[in-house]
Amino acid sequence: MSKVIASAVIRGSHKVFRQAEELMQKVIAEKGEEHEFEFPDTAFYLPLIYGMTKFQVKTLKDMKEALMMTRELLHEEPGGEVWTPYLGEALDSGMATLFAEEIWLALRYIEGEEPMKDPETGYVYNGFITDTVQRNLGIQLVDGRMPGFAAIIGAAPDEDTAVRIVRELQEKNILVFLSGQSNGDSVTKQLLRKNIELGWDVYIVPLGPKTEHTLYALDWAIRASMIFGGMKPGDVKGNLLYQKERVFAFALPLGPLDDVKWATGAGAINMGFPAICDTDVPVIHPTGVCTYEEVEKEFDHDKIVQRAIEVRGLKILIDKPPIPIAYGSAFEGERIRKEDTFIEFGGTRTAAFELVRLRELEDIEDGKIEIVGEDWEKRFEAGGQMPLGILVEVAGRKMQSDFIPILERRLHSNINEGQGIWHMGQRDLPWIRISNGARQAGFGLEDIAKIHHAMSHKRFSAIVDKVQVTLFTTEEDVVKWREDARAEWKERDERLASLVDETVDTFYSCLLCQSFAPSHVCVITPERLGLCGAYNWLDGKAAYEIDPTGGNQPIPKGQLLDPKYGRYSGVDEYLKQASGGAVETLNLYTIMENPMTSCGCFECIVVIIPEANGVMLVQRGHTAMTPIGMKFSTLAGTVGGGMQTPGFMGVGVNFITSKKFLAGDGGLKRIVWMTKALKERVKDKFEELAEAAGVPDLLDKIADETICEDSEKLVEYLTKVGHPALEMESII
Ligand code: SF4
């Protein structure tokens, strides 16, 4: 390693350590050593220190002890006569820097100084990244929609360059974290001056204006190995290797580097994350700690993103529709305000529909696009509102009618992934907005059809051979076609409702989360969707047709060994092999004995409450206490990592209203507490099922956070309302 770099790293580590030490003395003097602290919504204490040392920092006294441990990692700067080796010392100093930064930022939280607000613009930075955000994004990381993340530290030479770099990363769906500054400026400020939308929805997350704020990105990275990978806190080698092999991150330090930037960078190198600089720095080329080079330079800002992708070894697959705007899932969360809208369709404003229809191969022409009625070009010089019916006709040798709803569901993302165009709703209630920006870039009505043609082919290449798109723009046509479509949806819904576990002979696995949780397998049945809520049985079936060697494999059910708990010989056989021997047997319809494993992406958690003889349900994003005495974030730490945990289970929200939900344990009547938000979400279907189970008022008898948040009051409430769980046989 370069002596220049090693010396800078060591100097930087001492500087950051002193900074943390000084602030600690001040905060302890103010609050006392017993003062408790936790970062917002996390079950991982100070995540980096916890991941590396297993030490749980809960109070200022603990923080002081953690700082003592940090001191042991510090080294003296190499003397004039010492030339080699420096690598071990520099890496230790890098890790010490991250520990000290984590403590310093925690202390700033106690002082009310985080997350920071920019004094000039009033912009409030993100600060610490919560477990909820991490779990929400987990699914995009595992299914490849988000191939990695970049930490940009400093400022680009000018605003236009900053925009170009960030746009290129967005188009490649790489999540961008921003921190630090150079020469008093930063990429965050440069983007704000150019009115670029920032935030999680558009994959650009400003963490804070100092280099030390980069630590929040590394805190997020280290939690991935514990949340999704099942790595144990304190397993230094396991956690660091997981980072190197599965978390595709890199740093782009823009502008001159100081000692703190070098020291933070050395910490990131420990995790296998390389840095690609735009200044003339010494480079580190030997591979080992990182996959390829550790420090590299690239002066051409038009090439720096590509160079970073090569150095980190990222695989990026981009297939953009032939349209004049940028395209990628990073634009999916972009909002278009009314004043920025050129034209809109549907919503409550005009009649609209979107229908995918199955056709025979000889009946349609691939790539044919037709606009029936006037194009907006003729009618709207200055924008406005107009009706729009979208008919996407598809055909393919391997196409089946069961796949049509899946293609139709993707029409939403097809449109939403365009920069400057926005979509919500589906079927007879879509709502589309085209922004002035997209219009100025040359986007036209026909481009909507081009997107659906290209993306239906791309996403479903193995089952789709032909796609023809027709757009209807007169009120009369749209209303007429919408009526036909409604009849088609009704028939389709009735057919899908008749699909139950007993009527199929094959279930499907989903192994996508194995990239994070190597022993986790979702077993997806017609009546039990994947625990992330994103994949149902039809998705699994279609995905297998599309890619027979991919993450969704058929599981022949085999013999039904236990009808009550839902145990099948074929499922057990498959699981032994697919979980690498970690799971021997699975019961699909119970939480009590050999339940499904959980990765980290579950939409909600089911947990047994023995004293209430039932279970409670809490969803991701609920930050308050639950009757089990744990918040969602703590519970999630207990459930994840690909382990079977009797009494605890991650599930998708729609599974709650399946007839198979805990069928072996007594079904819906076992639910004694669930959050108000969940109650609202499942209300209609739940009430239908409760009525059929002979307890029409069950939802009212289930407690929520407005009734109680502890088990004693819960039992009191259940007794008062006569909840059926109290009369059922013991759940244990
Ligand atoms: S279905 Fe299961 S394995 Fe697949 S992405 Fe969702 S949670 Fe992960």
Side-chain angles (χ1 to χ4, degrees):
M1 177 177 267
S2 150
K3 182 175 179 179
V4 176
I5 297 180
S7 304
V9 168
I10 291 170
R11 280 195 305 272
S13 65
H14 281 278
K15 186 168 177 206
V16 176
F17 180 86
R18 276 195 305 276
Q19 178 176 274
E21 199 175 33
E22 280 163 21
L23 187 56
M24 176 161 292
Q25 282 164 6
K26 175 173 176 281
V27 179
I28 288 181
E30 283 166 14
K31 313 264 180 197
E33 289 197 343
E34 298 312 316
H35 183 84
E36 292 180 358
F37 172 76
E38 55 185 31
F39 277 124
D41 186 21
T42 183
F44 296 90
Y45 310 97
L46 269 52
L48 205 96
I49 291 173
Y50 184 51
M52 291 294 101
T53 67
K54 204 179 164 186
F55 185 59
Q56 302 177 355
V57 174
K58 296 178 186 166
T59 60
L60 281 171
K61 193 172 169 202
D62 297 334
M63 244 182 250
K64 201 170 153 191
E65 201 175 325
L67 201 62
M68 291 304 111
M69 287 161 23
T70 306
R71 189 194 293 277
E72 287 167 24
L73 291 169
L74 294 174
H75 289 273
E76 289 310 311
E77 217 181 309
E81 70 292 353
V82 179
W83 294 100
T84 186
Y86 320 111
L87 181 64
E89 285 88 339
L91 290 178
D92 276 359
S93 302
M95 192 52 82
T97 306
L98 302 189
F99 284 8
E101 286 177 340
E102 196 170 43
I103 291 167
W104 183 70
L105 289 167
L107 291 164
R108 286 175 56 83
Y109 257 99
I110 296 174
E111 292 283 86
E113 289 170 358
E114 292 287 321
M116 280 186 77
K117 188 175 180 180
D118 185 76
E120 289 164 35
T121 59
Y123 182 79
V124 180
Y125 291 88
N126 186 84
F128 183 80
I129 302 164
T130 65
D131 288 2
T132 301
V133 167
Q134 181 129 13
R135 288 177 193 279
N136 285 347
L137 288 179
I139 184 71
Q140 296 180 43
L141 285 162
V142 299
D143 70 9
R145 265 178 289 162
M146 186 188 282
F149 68 89
I152 302 184
I153 305 148
D158 54 68
E159 290 155 6
D160 289 338
T161 308
V163 173
R164 272 207 320 281
I165 291 174
V166 168
R167 287 293 188 226
E168 190 177 348
L169 290 161
Q170 275 183 305
E171 279 192 46
K172 292 179 165 58
N173 303 327
I174 294 171
L175 178 63
V176 184
F177 291 123
L178 304 176
S179 59
Q181 39 188 301
S182 295
N183 305 322
D185 206 357
S186 68
V187 171
T188 303
K189 288 185 190 168
Q190 291 172 323
L191 297 182
L192 284 171
R193 290 200 292 271
K194 294 294 272 185
N195 291 322
I196 302 292
E197 189 179 342
L198 304 177
W200 288 101
D201 288 343
V202 289
Y203 287 23
I204 312 172
V205 186
L207 297 171
K210 292 175 176 290
T211 300
E212 291 88 333
H213 287 117
T214 316
L215 187 274
Y216 289 137
L218 301 171
D219 261 354
W220 134 291
I222 198 71
R223 267 175 291 165
S225 52
M226 294 183 280
I227 290 180
F228 302 110
M231 291 295 154
K232 297 277 169 275
D235 176 0
V236 177
K237 191 172 171 197
N239 274 299
L240 290 182
L241 276 178
Y242 187 94
Q243 298 297 307
K244 180 183 167 187
E245 286 160 10
R246 293 174 193 268
V247 179
F248 289 94
F250 57 86
L252 293 178
L254 303 181
L257 298 186
D258 56 26
D259 291 349
V260 175
K261 283 184 187 164
W262 277 119
T264 306
I269 288 172
N270 271 290
M271 300 166 83
F273 305 156
I276 297 80
C277 311
D278 67 346
T279 48
D280 195 9
V281 296
V283 295
I284 307 176
H285 275 173
T287 60
V289 184
C290 297
T291 306
Y292 299 108
E293 296 82 5
E294 277 137 25
V295 178
E296 181 55 297
K297 56 187 173 189
E298 173 57 67
F299 304 140
D300 186 343
H301 291 96
D302 289 335
K303 292 187 183 151
I304 197 165
V305 171
Q306 194 49 45
R307 186 75 191 107
I309 286 169
E310 284 161 29
V311 171
R312 185 62 187 96
L314 240 74
K315 302 271 175 289
I316 310 260
L317 296 171
I318 300 279
D319 231 344
K320 182 178 172 288
I323 50 171
I325 52 173
Y327 194 85
S329 49
F331 301 108
E332 214 175 338
E334 185 191 31
R335 287 175 298 271
I336 295 176
R337 292 173 306 174
K338 196 167 185 300
E339 52 274 31
D340 297 329
T341 302
F342 168 70
I343 191 166
E344 59 188 332
F345 313 94
T348 51
R349 290 139 177 87
T350 67
F353 74 87
E354 292 171 344
L355 174 71
V356 176
R357 185 170 267 180
L358 177 64
R359 300 295 305 272
E360 294 300 327
L361 276 164
E362 56 278 16
D363 292 343
I364 57 171
E365 192 185 315
D366 185 44
K368 183 174 171 193
I369 289 173
E370 199 180 348
I371 297 176
V372 179
E374 277 180 346
D375 194 338
W376 80 45
E377 305 285 335
K378 299 211 178 86
R379 286 173 55 184
F380 294 98
E381 275 305 313
Q385 298 169 342
M386 74 189 281
L388 183 65
I390 301 176
L391 172 67
V392 179
E393 293 169 283
V394 295
R397 276 171 199 83
K398 292 167 92 180
M399 181 55 89
Q400 300 176 21
S401 57
D402 277 352
F403 300 155
I404 294 299
I406 300 167
L407 269 88
E408 200 172 274
R409 225 170 54 204
R410 297 313 291 264
L411 297 182
H412 165 76
S413 314
N414 288 355
I415 296 293
N416 239 5
E417 290 184 14
Q419 186 194 6
I421 55 177
W422 173 88
H423 179 281
M424 75 179 272
Q426 55 171 334
R427 291 191 168 181
D428 52 359
L429 281 172
W431 184 9
I432 300 175
R433 276 183 166 170
I434 310 295
S435 69
N436 288 315
R439 171 76 185 131
Q440 275 153 20
F443 191 86
L445 184 60
E446 198 188 40
D447 288 319
I448 291 179
K450 284 186 187 167
I451 291 176
H452 287 315
H453 172 260
M455 296 312 290
S456 300
H457 268 297
K458 183 192 166 217
R459 295 194 210 275
F460 302 97
S461 56
I463 52 174
V464 167
D465 296 329
K466 286 183 172 179
V467 182
Q468 175 176 305
V469 187
T470 311
L471 305 178
F472 301 94
T473 62
T474 67
E475 173 92 13
E476 196 190 349
D477 278 337
V478 174
V479 170
K480 177 182 146 313
W481 273 89
R482 191 175 60 183
E483 280 316 301
D484 287 358
R486 282 176 177 158
E488 206 161 321
W489 291 320
K490 187 162 179 278
E491 197 185 302
R492 197 195 281 172
D493 290 345
E494 283 165 2
R495 188 162 43 83
L496 288 178
S498 66
L499 206 60
V500 293
D501 289 3
E502 290 77 10
T503 57
V504 300
D505 54 14
T506 306
F507 296 153
Y508 288 88
S509 67
C510 186
L511 306 172
L512 285 178
C513 284
Q514 286 200 344
S515 54
F516 283 109
S519 61
H520 173 69
V521 181
C522 267
V523 176
I524 304 178
T525 79
E527 293 177 273
R528 181 170 189 165
L529 79 171
L531 52 85
C532 59
Y535 294 90
N536 64 26
W537 185 83
L538 284 176
D539 294 315
K541 187 176 176 202
Y544 174 65
E545 291 291 340
I546 293 163
D547 179 5
T549 57
N552 297 93
Q553 292 295 311
I555 309 177
K557 275 167 38 179
Q559 211 187 329
L560 178 59
L561 302 173
D562 186 339
K564 184 178 175 199
Y565 284 162
R567 185 166 153 240
Y568 292 87
S569 63
V571 172
D572 282 359
E573 256 167 59
Y574 176 84
L575 275 178
K576 273 181 216 148
Q577 160 259 318
S579 70
V583 181
E584 296 267 322
T585 183
L586 168 76
N587 290 318
L588 283 162
Y589 312 142
T590 174
I591 191 177
M592 294 311 298
E593 205 180 303
N594 300 313
M596 186 107 93
T597 57
S598 301
C599 46
C601 316
F602 32 79
E603 284 189 296
C604 45
I605 301 178
V606 194
V607 189
I608 179 183
I609 306 185
E611 53 273 50
N613 203 30
V615 299
M616 56 156 258
L617 278 155
V618 57
Q619 85 282 9
R620 198 162 64 197
H622 183 80
T623 50
M625 189 47 81
T626 71
I628 195 87
M630 288 192 245
K631 293 181 181 172
F632 178 90
S633 52
T634 315
L635 276 170
T638 318
V639 180
M643 292 173 296
Q644 281 182 313
T645 320
F648 296 77
M649 189 165 68
V651 296
V653 172
N654 286 348
F655 183 47
I656 302 169
T657 48
S658 157
K659 286 190 179 135
K660 295 296 191 294
F661 176 75
L662 304 193
D665 304 322
L668 286 186
K669 287 190 274 185
R670 280 291 182 195
I671 304 177
V672 292
W673 190 96
M674 71 200 280
T675 62
K676 216 162 172 43
L678 271 179
K679 279 186 173 178
E680 285 300 316
R681 202 163 146 196
V682 300
K683 193 168 188 278
D684 293 347
K685 187 87 190 291
F686 191 101
E687 288 184 338
E688 214 177 275
L689 291 170
E691 171 117 38
V695 212
D697 55 352
L698 181 60
L699 203 55
D700 296 332
K701 290 183 170 174
I702 295 173
D704 58 44
E705 69 273 25
T706 63
I707 295 165
C708 60
E709 285 179 335
D710 66 80
S711 62
E712 214 172 292
K713 288 211 183 80
L714 172 64
V715 175
E716 255 173 49
Y717 176 78
L718 300 175
T719 311
K720 190 175 95 189
V721 297
H723 191 290
L726 298 181
E727 302 296 319
M728 293 165 84
E729 64 175 307
S730 169
I731 192 168
I732 299 179

